[in-house]
mmCIF file of all heavy atoms in Angstrom:
data_model
loop_
_atom_site.group_PDB
_atom_site.id
_atom_site.type_symbol
_atom_site.label_atom_id
_atom_site.label_comp_id
_atom_site.label_asym_id
_atom_site.label_seq_id
_atom_site.Cartn_x
_atom_site.Cartn_y
_atom_site.Cartn_z
ATOM 1 N N LEU A 321 77.934 101.994 163.365
ATOM 2 C CA LEU A 321 77.265 101.728 162.086
ATOM 3 C C LEU A 321 76.555 100.383 162.100
ATOM 4 O O LEU A 321 75.684 100.121 161.282
ATOM 5 C CB LEU A 321 78.259 101.778 160.916
ATOM 6 C CG LEU A 321 79.034 103.080 160.736
ATOM 7 C CD1 LEU A 321 79.883 103.021 159.478
ATOM 8 C CD2 LEU A 321 78.093 104.271 160.663
ATOM 9 N N GLN A 322 76.930 99.520 163.047
ATOM 10 C CA GLN A 322 76.278 98.207 163.166
ATOM 11 C C GLN A 322 75.173 98.273 164.216
ATOM 12 O O GLN A 322 74.656 97.235 164.653
ATOM 13 C CB GLN A 322 77.294 97.132 163.571
ATOM 14 C CG GLN A 322 78.457 96.976 162.602
ATOM 15 C CD GLN A 322 78.254 95.854 161.598
ATOM 16 O OE1 GLN A 322 77.120 95.452 161.313
ATOM 17 N NE2 GLN A 322 79.336 95.358 161.037
ATOM 18 N N GLU A 342 79.590 114.700 165.693
ATOM 19 C CA GLU A 342 79.515 113.317 165.202
ATOM 20 C C GLU A 342 78.097 112.765 165.348
ATOM 21 O O GLU A 342 77.584 112.098 164.462
ATOM 22 C CB GLU A 342 80.521 112.415 165.939
ATOM 23 C CG GLU A 342 81.945 112.730 165.555
ATOM 24 C CD GLU A 342 82.946 111.632 165.884
ATOM 25 O OE1 GLU A 342 82.612 110.679 166.610
ATOM 26 O OE2 GLU A 342 84.083 111.739 165.389
ATOM 27 N N GLY A 350 70.635 109.182 159.136
ATOM 28 C CA GLY A 350 69.646 108.183 159.554
ATOM 29 C C GLY A 350 70.254 107.057 160.388
ATOM 30 O O GLY A 350 69.639 105.993 160.546
ATOM 31 N N SER A 359 76.596 105.830 175.102
ATOM 32 C CA SER A 359 76.720 106.297 176.484
ATOM 33 C C SER A 359 78.128 106.819 176.727
ATOM 34 O O SER A 359 79.101 106.289 176.188
ATOM 35 C CB SER A 359 76.448 105.151 177.466
ATOM 36 O OG SER A 359 75.219 104.523 177.151
ATOM 37 N N ARG A 378 101.973 125.609 172.180
ATOM 38 C CA ARG A 378 103.217 124.906 172.519
ATOM 39 C C ARG A 378 103.935 124.400 171.285
ATOM 40 O O ARG A 378 105.148 124.516 171.166
ATOM 41 C CB ARG A 378 102.865 123.675 173.356
ATOM 42 C CG ARG A 378 103.074 123.897 174.785
ATOM 43 C CD ARG A 378 102.946 122.536 175.442
ATOM 44 N NE ARG A 378 102.559 122.762 176.804
ATOM 45 C CZ ARG A 378 101.811 121.944 177.519
ATOM 46 N NH1 ARG A 378 101.350 120.834 176.966
ATOM 47 N NH2 ARG A 378 101.522 122.219 178.751
ATOM 48 N N PHE A 431 96.763 132.962 182.857
ATOM 49 C CA PHE A 431 98.088 133.462 183.221
ATOM 50 C C PHE A 431 99.135 132.840 182.285
ATOM 51 O O PHE A 431 99.968 133.521 181.702
ATOM 52 C CB PHE A 431 98.387 133.105 184.687
ATOM 53 C CG PHE A 431 99.733 133.581 185.159
ATOM 54 C CD1 PHE A 431 99.926 134.901 185.549
ATOM 55 C CD2 PHE A 431 100.816 132.708 185.207
ATOM 56 C CE1 PHE A 431 101.176 135.346 185.976
ATOM 57 C CE2 PHE A 431 102.071 133.145 185.627
ATOM 58 C CZ PHE A 431 102.252 134.464 186.017
ATOM 59 N N VAL A 447 82.791 130.431 178.010
ATOM 60 C CA VAL A 447 82.951 128.970 178.125
ATOM 61 C C VAL A 447 81.795 128.392 178.938
ATOM 62 O O VAL A 447 81.225 127.349 178.586
ATOM 63 C CB VAL A 447 84.313 128.600 178.777
ATOM 64 C CG1 VAL A 447 84.449 127.089 178.903
ATOM 65 C CG2 VAL A 447 85.471 129.170 177.978
ATOM 66 N N ASN A 467 79.248 99.896 185.033
ATOM 67 C CA ASN A 467 78.164 98.968 185.387
ATOM 68 C C ASN A 467 77.414 98.455 184.165
ATOM 69 O O ASN A 467 76.992 97.302 184.134
ATOM 70 C CB ASN A 467 77.214 99.621 186.393
ATOM 71 C CG ASN A 467 77.639 99.272 187.809
ATOM 72 O OD1 ASN A 467 77.834 98.092 188.121
ATOM 73 N ND2 ASN A 467 77.838 100.272 188.644
ATOM 74 N N MET A 468 77.266 99.323 183.166
ATOM 75 C CA MET A 468 76.595 98.876 181.925
ATOM 76 C C MET A 468 77.388 97.751 181.264
ATOM 77 O O MET A 468 76.824 96.780 180.769
ATOM 78 C CB MET A 468 76.511 100.036 180.920
ATOM 79 C CG MET A 468 75.439 101.029 181.193
ATOM 80 S SD MET A 468 75.541 102.321 179.943
ATOM 81 C CE MET A 468 73.983 103.123 180.239
ATOM 82 N N GLU A 482 87.807 99.016 171.802
ATOM 83 C CA GLU A 482 88.452 99.571 170.600
ATOM 84 C C GLU A 482 89.566 100.538 170.976
ATOM 85 O O GLU A 482 89.298 101.626 171.495
ATOM 86 C CB GLU A 482 87.390 100.307 169.763
ATOM 87 C CG GLU A 482 87.962 101.060 168.574
ATOM 88 C CD GLU A 482 86.873 101.817 167.792
ATOM 89 O OE1 GLU A 482 85.691 101.781 168.181
ATOM 90 O OE2 GLU A 482 87.236 102.447 166.782
ATOM 91 N N ALA A 529 100.282 95.965 156.718
ATOM 92 C CA ALA A 529 101.248 95.084 156.042
ATOM 93 C C ALA A 529 102.584 95.775 155.757
ATOM 94 O O ALA A 529 103.541 95.134 155.302
ATOM 95 C CB ALA A 529 100.643 94.542 154.754
ATOM 96 N N CYS A 568 105.919 106.516 155.152
ATOM 97 C CA CYS A 568 105.727 105.076 154.894
ATOM 98 C C CYS A 568 107.054 104.326 154.907
ATOM 99 O O CYS A 568 108.099 104.898 154.582
ATOM 100 C CB CYS A 568 105.081 104.875 153.522
ATOM 101 S SG CYS A 568 103.417 105.543 153.436
ATOM 102 N N TRP A 570 108.892 99.917 155.261
ATOM 103 C CA TRP A 570 108.694 98.466 155.295
ATOM 104 C C TRP A 570 108.150 98.017 156.644
ATOM 105 O O TRP A 570 108.302 98.719 157.648
ATOM 106 C CB TRP A 570 109.997 97.727 155.018
ATOM 107 C CG TRP A 570 110.558 97.898 153.640
ATOM 108 C CD1 TRP A 570 111.780 98.401 153.317
ATOM 109 C CD2 TRP A 570 109.932 97.536 152.391
ATOM 110 N NE1 TRP A 570 111.956 98.381 151.948
ATOM 111 C CE2 TRP A 570 110.833 97.855 151.355
ATOM 112 C CE3 TRP A 570 108.690 96.973 152.033
ATOM 113 C CZ2 TRP A 570 110.555 97.636 150.009
ATOM 114 C CZ3 TRP A 570 108.408 96.761 150.688
ATOM 115 C CH2 TRP A 570 109.327 97.083 149.705
ATOM 116 N N LYS A 592 95.642 95.918 154.772
ATOM 117 C CA LYS A 592 96.211 96.601 153.602
ATOM 118 C C LYS A 592 97.216 95.734 152.830
ATOM 119 O O LYS A 592 98.148 96.249 152.206
ATOM 120 C CB LYS A 592 96.810 97.957 154.010
ATOM 121 C CG LYS A 592 95.764 98.869 154.679
ATOM 122 C CD LYS A 592 96.176 100.305 154.805
ATOM 123 C CE LYS A 592 95.714 101.143 153.641
ATOM 124 N NZ LYS A 592 95.692 102.587 153.905
ATOM 125 N N TYR A 632 117.266 93.731 156.917
ATOM 126 C CA TYR A 632 116.124 93.243 156.136
ATOM 127 C C TYR A 632 116.320 91.829 155.619
ATOM 128 O O TYR A 632 117.438 91.404 155.335
ATOM 129 C CB TYR A 632 115.874 94.164 154.932
ATOM 130 C CG TYR A 632 115.319 95.515 155.284
ATOM 131 C CD1 TYR A 632 116.051 96.678 155.013
ATOM 132 C CD2 TYR A 632 114.053 95.646 155.859
ATOM 133 C CE1 TYR A 632 115.538 97.933 155.310
ATOM 134 C CE2 TYR A 632 113.537 96.903 156.166
ATOM 135 C CZ TYR A 632 114.282 98.037 155.897
ATOM 136 O OH TYR A 632 113.773 99.276 156.194
ATOM 137 N N ALA A 644 89.641 90.704 145.781
ATOM 138 C CA ALA A 644 88.429 89.877 145.738
ATOM 139 C C ALA A 644 88.624 88.529 146.440
ATOM 140 O O ALA A 644 87.690 87.720 146.517
ATOM 141 C CB ALA A 644 88.015 89.653 144.282
ATOM 142 N N GLU A 664 105.765 83.828 161.955
ATOM 143 C CA GLU A 664 106.963 83.203 162.544
ATOM 144 C C GLU A 664 107.786 84.215 163.325
ATOM 145 O O GLU A 664 108.207 83.970 164.453
ATOM 146 C CB GLU A 664 107.865 82.690 161.415
ATOM 147 C CG GLU A 664 107.705 81.235 161.071
ATOM 148 C CD GLU A 664 108.457 80.947 159.756
ATOM 149 O OE1 GLU A 664 109.483 81.619 159.443
ATOM 150 O OE2 GLU A 664 107.977 80.070 159.043
ATOM 151 N N ALA A 671 94.837 86.018 162.470
ATOM 152 C CA ALA A 671 93.438 85.607 162.591
ATOM 153 C C ALA A 671 92.589 86.203 161.471
ATOM 154 O O ALA A 671 91.595 85.613 161.051
ATOM 155 C CB ALA A 671 92.881 86.033 163.948
ATOM 156 N N VAL A 692 86.239 77.556 168.086
ATOM 157 C CA VAL A 692 86.035 76.192 167.547
ATOM 158 C C VAL A 692 86.068 75.167 168.682
ATOM 159 O O VAL A 692 86.653 75.382 169.717
ATOM 160 C CB VAL A 692 87.102 75.824 166.489
ATOM 161 C CG1 VAL A 692 86.668 76.357 165.119
ATOM 162 C CG2 VAL A 692 88.466 76.330 166.894
#
Side-chain angles (χ1 to χ4, degrees):
L321 302 185
Q322 301 264 23
E342 290 198 349
S359 308
R378 260 191 205 149
F431 180 80
V447 179
N467 267 309
M468 282 178 167
E482 173 182 1
C568 295
W570 294 121
K592 302 194 93 161
Y632 289 117
E664 264 169 30
V692 275

